[in-house]
Amino acid sequence: MESDILRNADACVPADRVREKGMTLPVVLLAFYLLIEYGRPLFLVPIKPGLLVQGLLILCLLPCRTRICQTLKEKYFRLYLLLLLFMTMHVFIATNNYYAFLCLKVMFSYLIIGVSCCVFLDSINKLNVFFSVFTFVVALCAINRISGANFLDISGGGVFRDENDFALAMNVALPIAFFLGRAHKGWKRWLFWMAAITFVLGNMVTASRGGFVGLVAVGTVCWLSSKHRLRAIPVMVVLAILAWSFATPLSKEKIRGLGLNSAEKDTGKDRVELWKVGWKAFVDNPVLGVGQGNMPVVMNKYRHDKWGESFWKRDMWGRMTHSVYFTLLPELGLIGAIIFVLMLKDLYAKIKKINENCTRITIREEAAGIENLNRALLVSLFGFLITGIFLSVLYYPPFWNISALLVTLFLISSRIPGGQDLTAG
């Protein structure tokens, strides 16, 4: 079986074949990863599909050492490896070593997927297949959540079981469906745009205020990216009315409660107090942090104010801080935060380089396709960073998957004839 896998790992192709069409086993495995990671089909649980897919991808990567080395030379992946090294140290010094180890293991799995994307998704055609599968899987999760059904036994569970986390998934997927629709014509365009509408409705049924804020931000950016903004306004109004009609009574109540004073009542006040706890933990451990996955463990230690009073009258062990940023700072300290910021800086530089490459690509259809994918990933990343203000999703797959796909798109745009070779930069 291993020899068959190695023979099928022919995705390690030279630069002059980056536009060659055709599916390979690694591409199928990456598509299957999307089904497992985001769809969580219940009937596959007994066979541990995540471990199976990662193991097969590692076997497929074995004959691609040159491409792997080229990928790991990218600044983003060098920073990723540095972050993993830093997190490895925490496995030995964190209060709860096991939780630190679990987070490290998850982050290492994202590295395998990220490198595999860069190595095997070596053409726009393959990247479009990957994004199409992602859109289909998340749309099916949204339909199941909206209808209360369970088509194909896809639950959308796992890290997206919580309503807030599910809203994050909708916000990340929305720009991908929107810009893929712009990149296609005919029935494919309308299929992607119908998926985008599904993501809006899926967000509205979650009753997540943070998800709604992220949805408004993502929707606004998508509208501003439209070539016909004035003509799009009636469509936006109709979509808003449709979305409001799908919102649950609880969703409507929470949305009406949004405002400057929302931080002083109910769950808004609760989140602010959790952020204060995260800040205290960061001030007490400013350089190294308390270790990945350890903020819930030390929550009780930092929940009291300087007078010994606590906002909560119950045990807080196991509670999250409900923010990407108040997870990053207290758990990974300044070292982790600086690495994270440098990764974002490199991703932004790659986004600009992709646009520069598009101006040099001689085939305009290919250039337009890359531009739309670039915008999709940019807005998707933006949606994560905005929605993540209110959610503890630092170690969830969306950010790390999107980042790896941005590097993948950068490498593809650099190899296409007419594109400047900016790899390993």
Side-chain angles (χ1 to χ4, degrees), residues 222-299:
C222 288
W223 174 70
L224 291 174
S225 301
S226 173
K227 295 179 180 178
H228 309 287
R229 296 176 190 170
L230 291 178
R231 279 192 285 176
I233 290 177
V235 177
M236 297 284 287
V237 171
V238 171
L239 182 57
I241 295 172
L242 178 64
W244 188 254
S245 68
F246 269 79
T248 63
L250 180 60
S251 299
K252 293 177 181 178
E253 180 183 348
K254 287 188 174 183
I255 291 171
R256 290 191 188 103
L258 285 171
L260 295 177
N261 63 338
S262 59
E264 298 298 327
K265 57 185 180 181
D266 53 69
T267 57
K269 177 63 175 177
D270 190 64
R271 271 181 169 76
V272 171
E273 293 299 325
L274 287 170
W275 296 349
K276 289 179 181 178
V277 174
W279 181 255
K280 291 175 188 175
F282 167 65
V283 171
D284 198 39
N285 306 270
V287 179
L288 299 179
V290 299
Q292 64 272 9
N294 269 246
M295 195 58 224
V297 177
V298 302
M299 184 66 71

Side-chain angles (χ1 to χ4, degrees), residues 42-150:
L42 300 177
F43 64 90
L44 291 177
V45 171
I47 66 173
K48 304 290 184 182
L51 289 175
L52 178 63
V53 168
Q54 290 178 44
L56 292 175
L57 282 172
I58 290 174
L59 289 176
C60 291
L61 285 168
L62 291 179
C64 304
R65 294 181 182 87
T66 301
R67 292 285 292 277
I68 292 173
C69 291
Q70 290 175 348
T71 298
L72 293 179
K73 286 179 181 178
E74 290 297 325
K75 186 175 180 180
Y76 168 81
F77 282 108
R78 294 202 303 268
L79 290 167
Y80 198 114
L81 292 173
L82 181 61
L83 182 63
L84 287 182
L85 182 63
F86 176 61
M87 294 175 73
T88 301
M89 179 195 68
H90 271 303
V91 173
F92 299 97
I93 67 174
T95 301
N96 190 305
N97 310 101
Y98 180 65
Y99 283 3
F101 172 73
L102 288 180
C103 286
L104 175 65
K105 185 173 71 170
V106 167
M107 291 293 290
F108 185 75
S109 71
Y110 299 153
L111 176 66
I112 295 173
I113 298 301
V115 172
S116 298
C117 286
C118 290
V119 172
F120 299 127
L121 301 180
D122 52 14
S123 70
I124 293 299
N125 179 65
K126 292 175 183 176
L127 203 54
N128 277 325
V129 168
F130 186 85
F131 281 123
S132 297
V133 173
F134 172 78
T135 303
F136 170 77
V137 170
V138 181
L140 193 53
C141 291
I143 292 171
N144 284 343
R145 181 66 67 99
I146 294 168
S147 64
N150 193 19

Side-chain angles (χ1 to χ4, degrees), residues 185-201:
K185 296 180 180 179
W187 64 271
K188 288 184 178 180
R189 168 174 292 183
W190 291 106
L191 193 61
F192 280 119
W193 282 353
M194 287 299 294
I197 294 173
T198 303
F199 298 148
V200 173
L201 302 182

Side-chain angles (χ1 to χ4, degrees), residues 19 38 66 71 88 100 103 120 135 251 274 295 354 366 370 384 388 399 409-410 413 421:
R19 290 179 309 209
Y38 294 94
T66 301
T71 298
T88 301
C103 286
F120 299 127
T135 303
S251 299
L274 287 170
M295 195 58 224
I354 291 170
E366 265 186 341
I370 292 174
F384 175 88
F399 175 81
L409 185 62
F410 165 69
S413 69
D421 188 4

Side-chain angles (χ1 to χ4, degrees), residues 383-398:
F384 175 88
L385 294 174
I386 294 296
T387 312
I389 295 174
F390 311 99
L391 307 175
S392 296
V393 290
L394 179 62
Y395 310 113
Y396 284 16

Side-chain angles (χ1 to χ4, degrees), residues 326-392:
F326 286 103
T327 300
L328 175 65
L329 283 171
E331 290 196 350
L332 299 179
L334 284 174
I335 292 177
I338 290 171
I339 295 173
F340 187 81
V341 170
L342 289 175
M343 295 172 88
L344 287 176
K345 182 180 177 183
D346 182 64
L347 291 173
Y348 182 67
K350 281 182 167 52
I351 289 169
K352 293 198 296 185
K353 288 178 181 178
I354 291 170
N355 287 329
E356 292 174 8
N357 285 345
C358 287
T359 62
R360 302 183 182 94
I361 294 174
T362 53
I363 302 177
R364 295 316 304 163
E365 287 186 1
E366 265 186 341
I370 292 174
E371 286 175 349
N372 276 300
L373 287 179
N374 196 30
R375 290 181 181 179
L377 290 170
L378 171 61
V379 181
S380 185
L381 186 62
F382 170 75
F384 175 88
L385 294 174
I386 294 296
T387 312
I389 295 174
F390 311 99
L391 307 175
S392 296

